[in-house]
Amino acid sequence: MYIDPQKCNGCSICIPYCPAGAISLVEAPGSKRGRVAVVDQEACLECGNCIHRGVVKCPTSAFSEDPGIWDTARAIRRFFSDPMVKHPVTSVPGRGTEEVKTNDVTGRVKRGEVGIGIEMGRPCLGTSFAEVEKVTRALAPLGIAFEECNPLTHLMDDRTRGTFPPEVKAQRVISAIIEFTAPAALLPDILRVLREVAPTLETVFSLDLISCFEPDGSLPVLSVLRELGIEPRPNAKVNLGMGRPRAVDKEVAAS
Amino acid sequence: MTHSLHRRGSSASLANDYVILVTPAVGFNDEGAPDKLREALEVVLEAGPANIGSYATGTVFAGATPEEIRKGLWEQPRVRCAFAGREQVKRVLEELKKKDLGLSVTVSGLTDEVLDLAREVGLKPHSINLSLGVWGNTAALPSEDVLEFVTMCGHGLISRYLVEKAIDLVRRGRRTPEQAARMIAPPCVCGIFNPVRAAELFRKYVPAGGREEQE
């Protein structure tokens, strides 16, 4: 994002809205307040907060987006940081799949499987793709098939090794989600690898685990987590099974 | 992505904090979905959400009107909203069950509460997304007091600096808790930030004899 120095009146209203802390004031002799706001392009994650309607309310409409950004590697920042931008690969707004939201219909994660989401950079810190690669490279030897319907996977230059090209690794974003589905039996190994790689990170990740309820309403994965000494947070996201056609019905019909 | 999953805070502070998402599955049942979503949106609006928005329009706190959100359903076909009361959520689920729109519905909140609600309404949950917490360089994070606010926008658009400024304004008696909640609400474009919970969280910063809502 850019701030037009001719328009900016140096009021500084925008500064606290930037999640990346990328906006600061610099001296500008001759301007209204003797200062104008500027965007540190390296720090800017292109989240669009400053140009979204009704957010910053810049009194002089001084913010704009570089129209040429979409032809550069910097477009990665827009796709991954601004939820109002839809990625052309997935046709889904945001940074990942519909995960548990539509799992009753898609059957993306089935009984006997787990869905994993590793939300790199979340909360607050953001992430570079070099950090993302630390995690994907650590997971790849487990034979992980990274989620096809996730823009992050499409940025890899070698999915079997979990690597990204240099121009991608240089980009920083608010968050990027490593997603995949795996047999439930692999969960202890996945969590072991994540425990090993987590201390090597400069950033953080929030960890998601999707699992299907059994017909009796139980959740076998809870006992596995307990054995591993991991307690889920008290809040979760529950798919209430109201979607049609239900994935399980289709499975039954096909068998 | 799971922008409503990782809300921080104690169980007490997360009580009465619910996010409802109504979502068609792309490539499965999204044809004709906008009309069904419009029906779902009316159910939600009738129940009185604490917040509502869409990727296409932003939220009511950023100036979007319900009519704009209705129209926006053609571009970004999902209903997203936050509720601050259990009974309202129950009413929404009962109505959606009656309408049987065939769209997927998720509720984020305290797990036991959500499962109880499902039982009361006669729904059989299909699957769950559990939060296994934050891993990695957690020493670099702001305080839990700040995280409680910023994680109500899972997309990370509510800046820690804006929250810190709002806390400071409340501490100095320059904003009421409700005003501070409205001040930090607009960046969350999809409308799952819960301003009622935020006002409650801000209340502990009100100075003795300080400013409460006067509007």
Side-chain angles (χ1 to χ4, degrees):
Chain A
M1 297 298 158
Y2 287 94
I3 299 172
D4 184 339
Q6 303 303 316
K7 288 184 179 176
C8 178
N9 69 7
C11 72
S12 77
I13 192 174
C14 52
I15 290 176
Y17 284 89
C18 178
I23 306 173
S24 61
L25 291 173
V26 296
E27 287 185 19
S31 65
K32 188 175 176 184
R33 290 185 171 88
R35 63 191 192 182
V36 292
V38 293
V39 176
D40 176 340
Q41 293 301 313
E42 182 45 39
C44 173
L45 302 179
E46 304 287 356
C47 69
N49 235 0
C50 49
I51 58 170
H52 289 162
R53 169 193 177 190
V55 177
V56 169
K57 298 178 186 143
C58 173
T60 61
S61 302
F63 282 91
S64 64
E65 177 185 32
D66 174 5
I69 192 173
W70 302 103
D71 300 323
T72 69
R74 201 173 168 86
I76 290 168
R77 299 189 185 216
R78 293 289 286 132
F79 286 129
F80 282 82
S81 299
D82 186 345
M84 295 180 106
V85 173
K86 186 188 277 191
H87 196 278
V89 171
T90 61
S91 299
V92 171
R95 286 151 284 197
T97 67
E98 292 166 350
E99 39 91 25
V100 83
K101 287 186 198 76
T102 55
N103 197 44
D104 49 349
V105 172
T106 64
R108 185 179 153 258
V109 180
K110 301 173 181 64
R111 286 189 189 126
E113 295 179 333
V114 287
I116 300 289
I118 303 161
E119 309 201 14
M120 298 292 300
R122 185 180 284 184
C124 280
L125 300 189
T127 186
S128 69
F129 275 85
E131 289 284 287
V132 173
E133 191 188 73
K134 287 181 188 173
V135 180
T136 49
R137 283 187 75 151
L139 288 166
L142 295 177
I144 299 298
F146 296 104
E147 173 64 46
E148 177 68 23
C149 197
N150 180 311
L152 177 146
T153 305
H154 291 264
L155 293 175
M156 290 180 181
D157 56 7
D158 185 342
R159 294 188 191 187
T160 61
R161 294 177 58 236
T163 56
F164 296 87
E167 67 274 19
V168 172
K169 282 201 282 188
Q171 296 304 321
R172 287 185 54 80
V173 296
I174 282 195
S175 68
I177 306 176
I178 302 163
E179 276 185 290
F180 55 91
T181 301
L186 200 57
L187 181 61
D189 284 332
I190 293 165
L191 293 173
R192 174 184 51 78
V193 167
L194 292 178
R195 274 180 163 152
E196 286 167 3
V197 76
T200 71
L201 297 175
E202 291 169 22
T203 189
V204 290
F205 60 84
S206 295
L207 185 56
D208 322 337
L209 172 61
I210 299 175
S211 181
C212 290
F213 289 98
E214 292 297 308
D216 65 359
S218 65
L219 211 54
V221 76
L222 290 179
S223 56
V224 177
L225 290 173
R226 212 168 293 127
E227 282 171 25
L228 295 168
I230 295 175
E231 184 69 28
R233 297 262 309 140
N235 46 321
K237 181 175 185 180
V238 181
N239 180 316
L240 295 174
M242 298 172 84
R244 301 286 182 276
R246 284 172 63 98
V248 66
D249 296 337
K250 284 183 288 183
E251 283 170 38
V252 170
S255 62
Chain B
M1 74 199 152
T2 58
H3 59 324
S4 66
L5 178 61
H6 297 289
R7 290 155 108 96
R8 304 289 299 183
S10 64
S11 293
S13 93
L14 288 163
N16 293 315
D17 178 32
Y18 299 92
V19 174
I20 299 180
L21 307 178
V22 185
T23 315
V26 173
F28 290 83
N29 62 5
D30 56 336
E31 261 183 51
D35 286 333
K36 292 177 181 176
L37 283 163
R38 207 158 287 125
E39 279 193 66
L41 181 65
E42 296 313 318
V43 169
V44 164
L45 289 171
E46 180 68 25
N51 196 0
I52 188 162
S54 83
Y55 292 151
T57 64
T59 72
V60 289
F61 290 95
T65 64
E67 187 48 40
E68 286 175 312
I69 294 170
R70 275 185 201 101
K71 283 183 186 163
L73 289 175
W74 288 104
E75 291 177 46
Q76 300 282 0
R78 289 178 184 180
V79 172
R80 307 173 184 80
C81 53
F83 278 91
R86 188 182 194 279
E87 284 312 304
Q88 291 163 306
V89 176
K90 188 175 174 184
R91 208 179 319 147
V92 169
L93 296 181
E94 284 170 342
E95 283 303 308
L96 290 178
K97 187 184 175 205
K98 263 188 230 164
K99 287 185 179 292
D100 194 19
L101 298 171
L103 302 177
S104 297
V105 177
T106 60
V107 176
S108 303
L110 288 174
T111 311
D112 292 343
E113 282 294 326
V114 176
L115 295 179
D116 278 350
L117 272 166
R119 255 189 304 273
E120 287 170 29
V121 177
L123 295 168
K124 195 168 182 187
H126 176 273
S127 38
I128 189 167
N129 203 343
L130 300 166
S131 168
L132 302 189
V134 183
W135 301 44
N137 187 14
T138 53
L141 290 171
S143 69
E144 278 293 329
D145 286 346
V146 171
L147 289 175
E148 281 183 316
F149 292 99
V150 299
T151 55
M152 280 196 274
C153 170
H155 290 120
L157 295 181
I158 297 180
S159 142
R160 61 185 287 183
Y161 310 107
L162 187 64
V163 169
E164 286 162 357
K165 180 174 180 174
I167 289 173
D168 182 56
L169 289 169
V170 174
R171 275 197 175 122
R172 291 193 285 132
R174 301 269 303 275
R175 292 282 189 286
T176 66
E178 288 75 13
Q179 287 170 335
R182 288 194 291 273
M183 173 182 157
I184 68 170
C188 173
V189 293
C190 48
I192 66 164
F193 169 80
N194 188 332
V196 177
R197 176 177 181 233
E200 284 306 311
L201 292 172
F202 276 124
R203 217 167 293 289
K204 67 182 169 198
Y205 301 109
V206 175
R211 200 169 165 196
E212 290 283 352
E213 183 74 311
Q214 292 160 352
E215 290 166 41

